[in-house]
Amino acid sequence: MRGREPMAGEGRSLLSMAASGAAWFAYLFLLMPSLIVIPISFGERTAVEFPPPRFSLDLYHQYFFEDQWMAATALSLRVAMGATIISVVAGVLAAYALVRCEFPGKKLVGVILLSPILVPIIAVALGLYLYFNALNIRGSELSLILAHSVITAPFVIVTAMAGLRHIDANLEIAATVMGAGRWRTLSRVTLPLLKPAVVAGALFAFLLSFDEVVIAWFVAKTASPTLPVAMYSSIQWSGVSPVLAAISTLLTVLSVTICLIVAAVTGREKR
Amino acid sequence: MTGAGQGRVAALFLLPAMALMTGIFLVPLAGVAHQSVTNPAWTLDGYVELTTSKLFLRVLWTTFEISLSSSLATLLLAYPIAYHLAKQPPRRRALLMTLVMVPFWTSILVKSYAFTVILGQHGAVNSILAWSGLPTVKLLFNRVGVIIGMGHYLIPFMVFPILNSLLAQPPDLAKAARVMGAGKARIFWRVTLPLSMPGVMAGFLLSMILSLGFFVTPALLGGRKDMMMANLVDMYTRETLDWTMASAIAMILLMLSGVLIAALSRTGGGKGILGGAH
């Protein structure tokens, strides 16, 4: 515990003990849902039991061999990849303009581009439902990809803007002074330096779209739902269906993996 | 770069993002506004009907109640976390912060499913209660379930503003108070807590903004009486097929969040979240 300066050297007061106790209770509360699905996922098909009476991979087998789950997963993967590509291209370009250029109306543009973060998602979902209905493309994969791009783009923009602010603008100026044109500077200096932020933004965009449920609930066809929509209907109509424990465990593994990759990529950058 | 050149580059680079936001976000939202006053000719019937609809008024009140109580519950857990994090050395703090981020990056459906398992009649909590000879309690498909589920989602959003305002306090301040004879409890109540209030305000407003629009948690962990505005929008859109009413409710929700967002942008602690200072 070296380096814990202000409070060290004195006995632990009742207050700080109560505070740490409350904090650890809260940490446990935060982790509990992700942890509890793991043992249940190795249980049996018949009922949700904790702890499971015997170890089995039945639930994983059920997930991987039922067409309904596989079709939903494949759709979610395609939509998330499409949304990631669109939001990374649009987002990184926009972030560059917002950080490196001066132009009138910059603040307003920034607010518009980031607003999907704070606008209630249900209003966006309803808007897209009506809009895609009117255009007669509701439920198509394209409509889902476009809808998800809107909510993933702000996260890419925020990540890329933070990345750009960490890059020393003098490096770009130096390249220009040495005769590199604007595009050459961008492709040879700025983008390579920005790579960790772009990778982080892309992975988060993917995860965000892959897990998104409210917009997909309004936009997707009932007959071909995305994975989160299929899970939502399953919890709503059949309660605690055991196969969901296996899916939840896999989704948790996906989230943790993505967070670890992001930590590794951005951490290397800092050192 | 020259001024005009910069403007041209900016316009070119902003084109894809602005096209996306206009075509797939702003226009559909304008569509909701338009639909809320169209049935099929121009009318304010949707809004008029809402002011007299018992269902809507009850749901509006429920939304307020749930948002307020889950934000308060979140504060009770988030403050100790932020306080604890603020006292850790940087490396340990970074490690513990990943724990706080776990719910942020966990699918809301994984969490909802887990809570139905944990809180259910034969769930983990009730099994422990029964095993220790205590009476079981109803924690699912009621208000308690919704507040637990929403609190879990909201904690990270509350922790970070509070942590920022705790870390912004110069450590010398507490030292000075101690030198002058203040005990730890007194330092906390008279120095640390008051100085962290901007962060608490920002976190609280943010969690109210997010709560108002909740959809999945009340639908899966609440009972029929815990329907919130988003669930009502869903009902009018897909069951009743009354798009005018659905749009009017969505517009009211948008305006309520707008008021809170305006309040949030006025608190200093809100800057980090809205992409300002950092």
Side-chain angles (χ1 to χ4, degrees), chain A residues 73-104:
Chain A
T73 308
L75 175 64
S76 281
L77 279 173
R78 290 196 301 271
V79 168
M81 279 193 273
T84 304
I85 293 168
I86 291 181
S87 57
V88 165
V89 173
V92 171
L93 289 174
Y96 183 86
L98 287 172
V99 175
R100 289 282 193 267
C101 301
E102 284 310 319
F103 55 91

Side-chain angles (χ1 to χ4, degrees), chain A residues 1-7 10-13 15-16 19-20 22-27 29-34 36-37 40 48 50 86 90-91 93-94 96-98 100-103 109 112-124 126-133 138 146-147 149-150 153-155 157 165 182-183 186 204 207-208 211 213-214 217-218 220 228-229 231-232 235-236 239-245 248 251-252 255 259, chain B residues 1-3 5-7 9-14 16-18 20-21 23-29 31-32 35 76-78 80-81 83-85 87-90 92 96 99-100 102-118 124 127 148-149 151-152 155-156 171 174-175 178 184-185 188-189 206 209-210 213 215-216 219-220 229-231 233-234 237-238 241 243 246-247 250 253-254 257 261 264 273-276 278:
Chain A
M1 296 260 170
R2 266 174 295 151
R4 218 177 95 171
E5 13 130 4
M7 305 285 176
E10 280 177 32
R12 311 205 71 189
S13 71
L15 179 78
S16 65
S20 321
W24 283 105
F25 172 78
Y27 291 133
F29 174 65
L30 289 175
L31 282 182
M32 189 176 50
S34 307
I36 200 148
V37 294
I40 293 168
V48 171
F50 182 83
I86 291 181
L93 289 174
Y96 183 86
L98 287 172
R100 289 282 193 267
C101 301
E102 284 310 319
F103 55 91
V109 169
I112 291 176
L113 292 180
L114 299 183
S115 56
I117 294 180
L118 284 178
V119 167
I121 203 82
I122 187 80
V124 185
L126 174 65
L128 292 169
Y129 176 88
L130 301 172
Y131 185 61
F132 289 145
N133 261 346
R138 189 172 73 82
L146 289 173
S149 303
V150 165
F155 285 86
I157 294 175
R165 290 205 178 102
R182 183 182 293 143
W183 303 109
L186 188 68
F204 282 155
L207 191 57
L208 217 59
D211 284 343
V213 62
V214 181
W217 173 249
F218 275 76
V229 170
M231 292 174 75
Y232 178 79
I235 300 176
Q236 202 171 35
V240 280
S241 155
V243 67
L244 289 171
S248 296
L251 285 178
T252 304
S255 302
C259 288
Chain B
M1 265 184 238
T2 58
Q6 274 198 11
V9 172
L12 189 64
F13 279 24
L14 286 169
M18 285 305 279
L20 180 71
M21 286 302 161
I24 313 294
F25 177 71
L26 295 177
V27 171
L29 278 184
V32 174
Q35 179 71 59
L76 287 181
L77 286 177
I81 293 182
Y83 186 73
H84 185 255
L85 286 174
K87 288 198 303 178
Q88 305 302 314
R92 210 178 132 101
L96 287 169
L99 286 187
V100 179
V102 167
F104 187 79
W105 292 114
T106 305
S107 154
I108 184 116
L109 288 152
V110 171
K111 291 188 278 189
S112 303
Y113 174 72
F115 277 122
T116 58
V117 174
I118 294 168
S127 302
I148 292 177
H152 191 269
I155 284 176
K175 237 179 251 171
R178 197 162 58 231
K184 273 187 176 168
F188 177 76
W189 290 111
L206 184 62
I209 294 167
L210 295 169
F215 175 76
V216 174
L220 296 182
M229 285 171 83
N231 307 107
V233 171
D234 181 40
T237 311
R238 311 169 119 252
L241 296 176
W243 293 348
S247 301
L253 183 59
L254 265 175
S257 327
I261 291 170
L264 177 64
I273 308 144
L274 296 170
H278 300 286

